[in-house]
Structures are given as C-alpha cells and as structure tokens.
Amino acid sequence: MTKRHVSLPPLAEDGLRAFLDEVDERLSGEEDTCDVVEDVLIDLHGDRDAYERWQSGEDISPAERVRLQGYDPCNTTLESEYYAEKDEEKFKHSKHLQWLWRQFDATPMADNVEFALRFRQMLADHLFESCGDGCRFFKGITFTYGHNIEIGDNVVVHDDVHLDDRGKLTIGDRVSISDDTHIYSHDHDAVDQTHIDNFHTIVEDDVRLTYDSMVRAGVRVGENAILAAKSIAGKDIPAHHIAAGTPAKSIAVKDGWESVADPLEDANEDRRAERGIEYELPEGMDDFDEFKRDLHPPDR
C-alpha cells in the first residue's frame, strides 16, 4: 500500500530531534536511570514549577505530593515486580524504562505520531533485549518486563497490544501486529493457577497478526503466515498459512506460495513443550498463596 511522506515543520523537527538526542544520550550514559526518567516525565507533564516548589519546601497537597513522587520510578511498583521468578538485576533497569514508556503514553504528546513513534523506537533500543531499525510502536502497548523481547527491523505494533515476555518473545522482521492483539510467553496450570510455566514464543518474518487475535505461550507462527481477526493460536502455524478460529486452524495457503508451504492436512502441531523455559526461584524467598484455595481435587 502506498503511503504519503509526512514531515513536521522545520522548527518542530529541530526541537523534536534535540529532545530525542538528549534523552537518548542521558539513557546511554552513566547517569542514574531513575533520575533521567523523573526529569523527563516532570517536563513532559508540565510539572516543573510544582516540582521546584515542592523541592524548595513549600506546602503542597497530599495529592500533589503523590503525583510528583510518582515521576520517579523508584517510588512506583508494576504488576511484574511481584513475579517470583523475575531476573532482579535486569528488572531494576527495565522497570524504569517501562515506567517512562507508560507515563509518556499518558501525555498529550503521545498522540503526535511523528514524535511518539520516534520516542518509543528510541526507548525500545534501551529497553528490549534487541530492537531493529524502522519499527513503529503505537499507543497503549504493554509488556511484562521488556528485557526478554527481541524485535527485528520494520516491525509495526499497533494500539493496545500486549507483548508478554515473562518467558521469552522473539518477533522477526516486517511483522505487523494489529490493535488489541495479545502475544503470551507464560501459562497458568489448570488446577493450581499460581503455578507458572514460561515459554519461548516465536513470530517469524513477515507474519501478520490481525485485530484482537491471540498467540498462546510457546507457539511458533511461521514465516509469512496470517492469524485471522479474533483467532487464538494454540498450536504452531506453518509458514505461508492463513489460520483462523478458536482454536486457530490452517484454512488456506497464501496464493502463490503453495509450492513451498506445508499441506493443510495435519498442519497445526503442538510443539510448545519444546520451547519451555526452566526457572529457579530464589532461595529463602517468602512464599505465599494469594488465593488460599484447596488445591486437592476430590478425584485424586
């Protein structure tokens, strides 16, 4: 599809580039990441005057104090912070950048597409395990940690997508992920929902995951495949296949790819077990059952 080339006025472009370069340089340097994130968010939210008044000892309301303290990611918690098996050292860094990403999305500037796409690409370079060039990350994207994500070149991730990297998530080049798609890398046990299994989930080059679809943990979506809208992939989808339904099944091969694609018969195999990721919980960790349920089925 042909798209238009759109550019900002020269003065706006100069200001955008100066800001991106400054934040990128600070995140790449020796400065404490918490301090960088706090500074950037104070200015993006237009709260510098209130922050300076607070720092100088002037009276502020309890609500103002909570808001101003919240710009510092060291004063916040995220859901993934409570996960027992997380890598503490990696999370110390990724949490701060994830906070910057999320709070940036709460600013009016997040709707300025030219600015927002470049800002998120810059953050992705620091946050993800690896991120290629020319990626476009739209508004409302969430992830578990960020540091277990590998993304190739020219990937498009649209609004309100969830990239779960509690296990590991690999996304190839030129992948298109439509609005409200969810890609998982962890699963809960059917009997004991507190037991977590982590997996390596793989979305290969040129895949298209369409609106409101879901890829379950440990699934591989093959090169150039399509997962139809509102479908759930619980088993592998072979390269060049179009899969649809809940659970998703291959219903066609893309026109022109028949000679190199697997046949539709028995196409969708469950190879999730091959991509399981073992983990060990830290010694001496306080263990608790948040649900406090009886986990002994009557038939056992």
Side-chain angles (χ1 to χ4, degrees):
M1 180 178 66
T2 301
K3 290 192 174 181
R4 297 176 183 270
H5 289 286
V6 178
S7 58
L8 294 172
L11 288 178
E13 173 63 29
D14 290 345
L16 183 156
R17 189 174 300 162
F19 174 74
L20 289 176
D21 289 346
E22 178 187 276
V23 177
D24 187 25
E25 184 176 344
R26 292 181 70 184
L27 290 174
S28 300
E30 298 299 321
E31 193 172 356
D32 184 80
T33 306
C34 262
D35 293 340
V36 178
V37 171
E38 182 181 35
D39 258 0
V40 171
L41 289 178
I42 288 169
D43 288 333
L44 283 176
H45 284 267
D47 240 347
R48 179 60 65 182
D49 288 345
Y51 181 80
E52 296 298 343
R53 284 192 288 105
W54 175 45
Q55 292 298 294
S56 65
E58 295 184 34
D59 288 338
I60 58 173
S61 70
E64 285 179 307
R65 180 174 178 175
V66 169
R67 186 182 77 247
L68 294 171
Q69 286 177 323
Y71 294 134
D72 181 348
C74 294
N75 294 328
T76 67
T77 62
L78 299 175
E79 179 184 355
S80 51
E81 194 156 356
Y82 299 89
Y83 295 165
E85 82 282 7
K86 74 178 187 299
D87 186 315
E88 290 284 358
E89 286 305 312
K90 289 184 178 179
F91 187 74
K92 285 178 183 178
H93 178 69
S94 60
K95 171 191 171 179
H96 304 155
L97 296 174
Q98 186 179 158
W99 186 251
L100 177 54
W101 187 307
R102 291 185 179 214
Q103 297 310 303
F104 166 73
D105 272 3
T107 71
M109 290 302 295
D111 289 316
N112 181 347
V113 173
E114 181 67 20
F115 171 60
L117 294 184
R118 289 159 68 178
F119 185 78
R120 297 189 194 102
Q121 167 80 68
M122 181 270 294
L123 282 184
D125 292 338
H126 292 279
L127 173 60
F128 298 162
E129 184 173 343
S130 62
C131 185
D133 297 326
C135 295
R136 290 182 286 163
F137 302 105
F138 284 86
K139 194 174 180 181
I141 300 167
T142 56
F143 21 81
T144 310
Y145 305 128
H147 57 249
N148 291 328
I149 297 176
E150 297 176 342
I151 290 185
D153 295 329
N154 300 306
V155 171
V156 181
V157 184
H158 287 278
D159 292 350
D160 303 317
V161 166
H162 182 58
L163 304 176
D164 163 44
D165 65 316
R166 190 165 181 173
K168 180 178 176 63
L169 180 57
T170 298
I171 297 172
D173 297 334
R174 300 172 301 279
V175 171
S176 175
I177 304 174
S178 295
D179 306 60
D180 296 305
T181 296
H182 290 64
I183 308 175
Y184 288 99
S185 65
H186 84 279
D187 244 343
H188 293 260
D189 183 78
V191 175
D192 179 4
Q193 67 193 70
T194 65
H195 176 78
I196 300 297
D197 290 308
N198 289 333
F199 296 87
H200 184 190
T201 304
I202 302 168
V203 180
E204 295 187 343
D205 295 349
D206 299 303
V207 164
R208 194 167 147 230
L209 305 176
T210 63
Y211 171 74
D212 199 22
S213 59
M214 186 180 100
V215 178
R216 284 194 63 193
V219 167
R220 178 192 292 270
V221 183
E223 178 185 0
N224 194 37
I226 294 177
L227 179 62
K230 295 187 175 293
S231 299
I232 298 178
K235 297 180 180 179
D236 289 2
I237 301 174
H240 318 302
H241 279 218
I242 300 171
T246 303
K249 296 181 180 179
S250 293
I251 59 172
V253 173
K254 280 187 170 183
D255 288 344
W257 298 91
E258 293 85 356
S259 65
V260 294
D262 292 340
L264 292 179
E265 294 77 16
D266 302 319
N268 308 113
E269 296 186 33
D270 188 351
R271 298 189 180 92
R272 299 172 69 239
E274 300 173 8
R275 305 183 191 112
I277 299 174
E278 299 294 330
Y279 62 84
E280 294 183 3
L281 297 179
E283 292 184 9
M285 187 190 72
D286 292 333
D287 190 16
F288 70 97
D289 177 8
E290 59 184 310
F291 300 105
K292 298 181 173 62
R293 297 184 305 144
D294 181 1
L295 298 176
H296 299 89
D299 299 333
R300 287 187 183 176

